[in-house]
Amino acid sequence: LPEMYTFTVCMWLKSSATPGMGTPFSYAVPGQPNELVLIEWGSNPMEILINDKVAKLPFVISDGKWHHICVTWTTRDGVWEAYQDGLLRGNGENLAPYHPIKPHGVLI
């Protein structure tokens, strides 16, 4: 991937896992395994990590049904938004502000 200053990650998820479903999305670069990660572990809410900075995402997905989730982010002020099934569920700022997503990583 090239260096990124903004992104949107979307996916369909179905889970009835408790506790947590794991890591549905991960992008690592040399020297930083958590450059961009979506993770849900234990009984914690899903989180997005950018360069090890964390925001909790207000998704409810462990009900055994299919859900469409999207997370958007921009390096400008670290503004993010979280959508579930087409509805804005949460937003925030100051998530790794002014940190571009590094290029030439591995997407899992």
Side-chain angles (χ1 to χ4, degrees):
L1 295 174
E3 185 172 71
M4 294 185 293
Y5 301 94
T6 186
F7 68 80
T8 299
V9 173
C10 295
M11 65 187 71
W12 284 95
L13 292 174
K14 180 180 180 183
S15 175
S16 56
T18 53
M21 66 178 300
T23 307
F25 184 91
S26 179
Y27 176 71
V29 295
Q32 178 49 280
N34 294 327
E35 185 66 8
L36 172 56
V37 178
L38 287 178
I39 187 170
E40 184 184 44
W41 54 277
S43 51
N44 298 298
M46 185 173 282
E47 298 174 333
I48 183 170
L49 284 75
I50 299 176
N51 193 37
D52 283 328
K53 308 303 182 271
V54 179
K56 294 189 183 309
L57 303 174
F59 296 141
V60 178
I61 56 174
S62 296
D63 59 3
K65 298 177 184 176
W66 282 103
H67 295 283
H68 188 254
I69 65 167
C70 291
V71 179
T72 67
W73 173 85
T74 180
T75 187
R76 184 174 179 126
D77 296 327
V79 173
W80 62 271
E81 294 178 330
Y83 295 85
Q84 180 178 338
D85 300 324
L87 300 174
L88 178 65
R89 295 288 185 180
N91 58 25
E93 57 185 43
N94 234 8
L95 177 60
Y98 304 102
H99 171 81
I101 303 298
K102 296 175 187 165
H104 312 299
V106 176
L107 184 64
I108 299 173

